[in-house]
Amino acid sequence: MEKTRFDELVEFPCHFTFKVMGVATPELPDKVVAVAKAHAPHDDYAPSVKPSSKGNYHSVSIRIRVESQTHIETVYRALSDIDEVRYVL
């Protein structure tokens, strides 16, 4: 079976939603926005934050304008490097 290339299915540039799950700290959304601004500085960001059922974790969703598959991977790695982050989808 032939492997499909992501960048052949998606037309760039486009907005891509990243879902970041991490420890519930007041700084987490600000750190996510800081990464977004570092890698795509031309947008204003308004992440949505949802607490977990017990409140120990937050899910932060943010739409970032990306230019390529490589750009998505770079942002993904930068978000994963935030100390409080456990998963990035």
Side-chain angles (χ1 to χ4, degrees), residues 52-71:
S52 64
S53 59
K54 293 183 180 178
N56 297 331
Y57 296 93
H58 281 167
S59 169
V60 182
S61 295
I62 189 165
R63 280 175 40 101
I64 300 174
R65 182 181 165 94
V66 292
E67 305 294 328
S68 66
Q69 181 177 351
T70 303
H71 193 194

Side-chain angles (χ1 to χ4, degrees), residues 9-78:
L9 298 174
V10 177
E11 193 170 319
F12 292 102
C14 67
H15 281 88
F16 191 87
T17 301
F18 292 85
K19 190 171 207 173
V20 180
M21 291 179 235
V23 177
T25 64
E27 302 82 21
L28 180 61
D30 292 336
K31 289 181 178 183
V32 170
V33 168
V35 167
K37 287 185 176 183
H39 293 279
H42 304 295
D43 281 343
D44 291 325
Y45 295 101
S48 66
V49 180
K50 294 181 183 173
S52 64
S53 59
K54 293 183 180 178
N56 297 331
Y57 296 93
H58 281 167
S59 169
V60 182
S61 295
I62 189 165
R63 280 175 40 101
I64 300 174
R65 182 181 165 94
V66 292
E67 305 294 328
S68 66
Q69 181 177 351
T70 303
H71 193 194
I72 291 173
E73 292 166 358
T74 300
V75 173
Y76 181 91
R77 279 191 297 277

Side-chain angles (χ1 to χ4, degrees), residues 20-23 57 79-80 82-88:
V20 180
M21 291 179 235
V23 177
Y57 296 93
L79 290 169
S80 296
I82 297 171
D83 286 340
E84 293 88 348
V85 170
R86 298 298 174 257
Y87 302 102
V88 181

